[in-house]
Amino acid sequence: MEGVVLVVPLLRTLYRPQPVIPKDDQFYRECLRDIAQHGLWGQVYQLLVGSGQLENVPSFFRQQITEKHQQVLTQNLFLRIHQERILRLFDSHALDVIPLKGPWFAERYFGEIGARSSSDIDLVVRKEHLSKAIAHLRALGFHGPADYNPIHFHCIMYRFLEESNIPLNVELHWGVVIERTATQDVSQLWDTASVRRGYTHVKELSVQQTFYSICLHGSNHKMDSLKYVLDVTQLIYRNGDELDYKKLAEQASADKTYRRVFMVLERAYSMFPGLDEQKPLSLYGTSRLSNLSKRWHSPLLVLDDWHLRSSYLRNRIWPGKDVALWYIRHDTKSTVRNVYFAFYRYRLRHFIQRLTGRHADQGNRY
């Protein structure tokens, strides 16, 4: 995570019961750079409001962060309107669905719908109902799935709206982690979810499962933004009494996601030492995993056992045809017959690009 310099001490202060914030204008100018880089407008605004410090920051800082928060609020209200429309449709067709992150998450765990920015709508559906969910979204004018990745755990539906040139994306998830890198039991998400008031088939994750899914979401992104750290930190400060680390460790161990979850928590606790006073980090096996979170870009270290690591290596060297075809999906000359020739040509080209310092497509990594 690059570029986080001054904003972290400010955030640490705002999480304390009686924060004492800096007065130096240059400090806040540097903070604005970090906040913009990591998309923290809503979170920082809400922390300032919640701690009663909004009026104590310099006027230029207060004005910019208030304006940006309003933009986040408008965007999230827009997403909530369309999300509710989709949820009503799914509910009327008896299709079970769980919203992930998004406006509900911001409202419940940050205290206000504009306190955590969202760019799309994330919904969990049962894997056996995926085709039905896709059909219902198509009935609402959505297209897709777009560039469906066979190794992933979601597909993307999209629609261009009259009021915007930017497509509205809906991610349909059937899990929260890449299937070939874990053995996740998704049934736990469903079994512990509660029915949302006013619905019959729309459900909400429990606090425990929300925390688990947020940890995995951050690990999927290699914790490359401070906003993922703040998601975890906020849940611990706000709902720490409802979190059971022993159950978290047991579930993560069974799902073979333990290392990822611990790495996320280690990152949060190292950046926000006050978390240890709020809820001490006591997961088994932590001593031998110390400082592992610095190695996000070493996939073999992230995986929990040698079976998963060998499977990862095998699929990297010789992937299935469906995976290879997805990697070279923009190559109009590739076919099932020449898929591996085209795939290894693609790999070689990107290897040369890395060696020569040219930009390689990062979107095709897994």
Side-chain angles (χ1 to χ4, degrees), residues 85 135-144 157-161:
R85 185 182 179 194
H136 291 321
L137 286 175
R138 285 175 177 163
L140 287 178
F142 284 85
H143 304 280
M157 303 292 290
Y158 62 96
R159 178 186 174 189
F160 287 93
L161 304 172

Side-chain angles (χ1 to χ4, degrees), residues 288-343:
R288 63 185 176 83
L289 295 178
S290 181
N291 297 319
L292 190 63
S293 66
K294 297 176 181 177
R295 307 172 187 177
W296 281 111
H297 298 287
S298 302
L300 294 182
L301 292 176
V302 173
L303 301 180
D304 271 25
D305 62 30
W306 284 106
H307 174 75
L308 290 174
R309 292 168 202 154
S310 61
S311 177
Y312 173 86
L313 285 173
R314 186 169 58 252
N315 282 288
R316 289 291 292 176
I317 297 170
W318 190 264
K321 285 188 176 181
D322 57 342
V323 176
L325 282 170
W326 184 83
Y327 269 86
I328 57 175
R329 62 195 180 281
H330 301 305
D331 183 351
T332 57
K333 296 181 180 180
S334 62
T335 66
V336 174
R337 287 188 174 184
N338 71 356
V339 57
Y340 286 113
F341 173 79
F343 173 74

Side-chain angles (χ1 to χ4, degrees), residues 81-255:
I81 290 171
H82 288 280
Q83 177 174 284
E84 294 292 339
R85 185 182 179 194
I86 294 169
L87 295 179
R88 292 289 176 194
L89 179 65
F90 283 14
D91 200 53
S92 68
H93 287 86
L95 190 68
D96 292 340
V97 58
I98 301 173
L100 278 179
K101 307 188 304 299
W104 284 11
F105 175 75
E107 205 163 13
R108 181 176 180 183
Y109 295 104
F110 284 88
E112 195 241 18
I113 192 173
R116 169 63 162 87
S117 62
S118 299
S119 58
D120 49 29
I121 297 171
D122 294 85
L123 305 174
V124 181
V125 297
R126 299 184 189 275
K127 194 170 185 178
E128 61 268 26
H129 296 162
L130 180 61
S131 59
K132 292 181 181 179
I134 290 173
H136 291 321
L137 286 175
R138 285 175 177 163
L140 287 178
F142 284 85
H143 304 280
D147 285 344
Y148 172 63
N149 185 342
I151 68 168
H152 230 294
F153 50 91
H154 66 73
C155 64
I156 300 174
M157 303 292 290
Y158 62 96
R159 178 186 174 189
F160 287 93
L161 304 172
E162 293 180 4
E163 61 267 34
S164 174
N165 292 324
I166 301 175
L168 171 64
N169 289 337
V170 176
E171 292 190 3
L172 293 175
H173 296 250
W174 51 90
V176 291
V177 66
I178 295 175
E179 292 174 298
R180 297 184 186 183
T181 66
T183 57
Q184 187 187 15
D185 180 9
V186 184
S187 66
Q188 289 200 53
L189 298 181
W190 292 101
D191 293 344
T192 58
S194 58
V195 177
R196 173 84 169 184
R197 185 177 180 181
Y199 294 95
T200 304
H201 295 274
V202 178
K203 302 185 177 184
E204 288 185 276
L205 291 177
S206 65
V207 174
Q208 181 81 12
Q209 294 304 318
T210 296
F211 188 69
Y212 181 46
S213 66
I214 285 297
C215 286
L216 292 180
H217 178 67
S219 76
N220 290 336
H221 289 275
K222 299 181 174 64
M223 298 295 281
D224 60 2
S225 172
L226 184 56
K227 64 184 177 182
Y228 303 126
V229 180
L230 283 183
D231 287 344
V232 174
T233 301
Q234 179 70 14
L235 261 74
I236 296 172
Y237 271 111
R238 190 180 181 94
N239 300 88
D241 292 343
E242 301 175 70
L243 299 175
D244 187 326
Y245 279 177
K246 182 180 179 181
K247 289 183 178 179
L248 177 68
E250 290 171 352
Q251 182 176 5
S253 295
D255 288 348

Side-chain angles (χ1 to χ4, degrees), residues 2-14 21-41 44-45 48 57-58 60-62 64-65 68 226 230:
E2 301 295 335
V4 181
V5 182
L6 293 179
V7 73
V8 172
L10 174 63
L11 294 170
R12 288 174 185 161
T13 299
L14 292 176
I21 63 174
K23 302 295 183 182
D24 180 53
D25 284 2
Q26 184 59 32
F27 171 86
Y28 287 97
R29 291 189 180 93
E30 295 291 331
C31 281
L32 284 175
R33 181 200 63 193
D34 291 348
I35 292 169
Q37 180 181 349
H38 294 270
L40 307 177
W41 301 110
V44 175
Y45 175 87
L48 285 167
V57 297
F60 72 88
F61 184 86
R62 180 171 60 252
Q64 185 163 351
I65 207 162
K68 293 294 187 179
L226 184 56
L230 283 183

